[in-house]
Each structure stands twice: as C-alpha cells, then as structure tokens.
Amino acid sequence: TQLLEQSPQFLSIQEGENLTVYCNSSSVFSSLQWYRQEPGEGPVLLVTVVTGGEVKKLKRLTFQFGDARKDSSLHITAAQPGDTGLYLCAGKDNDYKLSFGAGTTVTVRA
Amino acid sequence: EPEVTQTPSHQVTQMGQEVILRCVPISNHLYFYWYRQILGQKVEFLVSFYNNEISEKSEIFDDQFSVERPDGSNFTLKIRSTKLEDSAMYFCASSPRYGGGGNQPQHFGDGTRLSIL
C-alpha cells in the first residue's frame, strides 16, 4: 500500500483568503484524484490529474500534479464559506485501487 | 447526473450475524469497488470487481467477506459473521473503464453506516 500524506490536517481561514492543501508521497502514481467529502456523505470527485506537471483549474480551485507524479496540491483562491469541507487526495498506483490520504479539514469563516 | 446509490444508509446488526450491503453502480460503468472508512480513519480499499470476478482485494478482505453481482444492476458486499471491528462506513464506487492510463475516475456512493453491537 502506497502512503499519501496530506498537510495540513486542519485549516481555518477567513472568507476571501487563499489556501493551499498538499498531498505528498514517496511513491509514483499513475494518476491522482481529489475528492471533497461532506459529513455523512461519500467522497465527491473534483478532478483527476494524470500527467506530471499538469495543472487543472475548476473555477477558484487550482490542482497541480508534481513533475515526478509523487505529489499534488490544491489551491483555493478567495475562499468562500461554501468551500468548507474535507478534502481528500487519492492516488492510483495500479489500475484498480485508490490509496487515500487522511484528508484536510478546511473551514472558511464568514 | 448519474450517481452510485447504496442501501441501506444505516445498518445495525448483532455481532456474529450476516449482513449484506447493497449498491447500484452507475449504469454504463464496468468496474466496481468497495471501500470502508472506520470512524476517524482513512478511506481503505477492500476489493475491486470486473467481469463477474474479483480483480484485486486487500488484506482486510478475508474469508468473511464476499462480493457478488447478482443481476445486471446490483453489486453487493456480504460479511458472513460480523465482528465489532467491522463497524465502519462502507462505500461503493464504480468507474466506466479499466485503466486507460489512470484516467478513469471512481465515483462514490454516500455509503452505508454499519454498526455492530
């Protein structure tokens, strides 16, 4: 099982501020997926990154896959209270299973 | 938007009893998965399933666990004799196509909360 470390574990910011969540591993992944999970619900897919160095934007969210495909980051610009939630990264090391990080709990205060 | 549906949302079972968790994957998807999340811990892979057979399973997925696709729409996880430590959220996921360079994302249901007493 390949380990994914997410940091920080908790992040609390004021509305309008920017934030970055990191996802790191010593292993190479064929792809990496970011999910958001609300309490009592399943993970909801935000984005998949596949190519080393790839950058994907989803409105105010920017996702980057490291050149070596071992790490990724999620950057949120001008965070809003609606961005509050648990953000999970999950790496695919083969064609079947996902290995999840422990998640970053983001709280955006109004 | 198509979604993975799971039933029941909450299952309470006595230790030692059998339990079946049900999932309806997205209709044109071919690959099916079960994951679990013990309270306060990471989401963990249990098993993947394709073409009516298990593709991969984790060390958690021992002889007490089995999966089945009894018809064209349902995908089930059975735990034969439940233990206290089986208490967790169980998530079903599906993806449309194998591999493809890792481009095929997995879509998750909202889970079944299993409580073993």
Side-chain angles (χ1 to χ4, degrees):
Chain A
T1 301
Q2 294 174 291
L3 293 177
L4 275 168
E5 300 290 335
Q6 282 190 245
S7 61
Q9 187 177 358
F10 299 97
L11 192 53
S12 180
I13 60 169
Q14 201 69 33
E15 180 177 5
E17 295 181 339
N18 301 331
L19 69 95
T20 302
V21 175
Y22 299 94
C23 178
N24 296 294
S25 176
S26 58
S27 304
V28 176
F29 291 99
S30 61
S31 69
L32 194 138
Q33 299 170 17
W34 284 93
Y35 291 86
R36 179 173 154 180
Q37 185 178 22
E38 301 293 337
E41 298 180 10
V44 175
L45 180 70
L46 296 175
V47 79
T48 299
V49 286
V50 178
T51 306
E54 182 176 7
V55 176
K56 281 191 174 179
K57 289 184 183 291
L58 189 67
K59 297 183 180 178
R60 292 176 294 98
L61 277 60
T62 301
F63 304 86
Q64 185 162 7
F65 202 13
D67 290 341
R69 291 186 288 128
K70 293 182 179 182
D71 53 84
S72 181
S73 63
L74 157 60
H75 182 79
I76 301 180
T77 304
Q80 299 174 0
D83 296 323
T84 293
L86 176 66
Y87 290 84
L88 300 168
C89 65
K92 195 183 249 191
D93 54 357
N94 58 30
D95 288 316
Y96 299 114
K97 69 180 182 187
L98 289 175
S99 298
F100 279 83
T104 295
T105 299
V106 171
T107 303
V108 182
R109 304 185 304 276
Chain B
E1 184 174 329
E3 56 184 29
V4 176
T5 57
Q6 290 186 243
T7 55
S9 57
H10 191 187
Q11 174 80 46
V12 182
T13 301
Q14 290 287 333
M15 186 172 60
Q17 295 297 305
E18 174 182 286
V19 66
I20 297 176
L21 309 182
R22 292 183 164 78
C23 169
V24 179
I26 295 173
S27 63
N28 64 345
H29 284 192
L30 301 177
Y31 297 88
F32 314 114
Y33 313 85
W34 283 101
Y35 291 80
R36 79 171 185 191
Q37 186 175 30
I38 295 172
L39 187 63
Q41 298 186 21
K42 294 182 182 183
V43 176
E44 302 173 288
F45 169 79
L46 292 178
V47 66
S48 61
F49 190 85
Y50 169 70
N51 199 26
N52 283 320
E53 60 183 26
I54 290 174
S55 309
E56 185 179 4
K57 59 183 181 179
S58 72
E59 57 273 12
I60 302 168
F61 194 89
D62 61 21
D63 292 344
Q64 294 300 312
F65 290 86
S66 62
V67 289
E68 192 178 30
R69 189 154 162 83
D71 53 43
S73 61
N74 290 286
F75 179 51
T76 62
L77 173 69
K78 181 193 290 186
I79 308 175
R80 217 175 323 275
S81 177
T82 50
K83 304 186 286 287
L84 293 175
E85 53 264 39
D86 293 327
S87 295
M89 282 289 288
Y90 286 80
F91 293 108
C92 174
S94 67
S95 62
R97 188 161 56 91
Y98 174 90
N103 285 345
Q104 303 307 320
Q106 295 178 22
H107 297 266
F108 285 74
D110 279 342
T112 293
R113 181 187 303 278
L114 179 62
S115 300
I116 307 301
L117 304 179

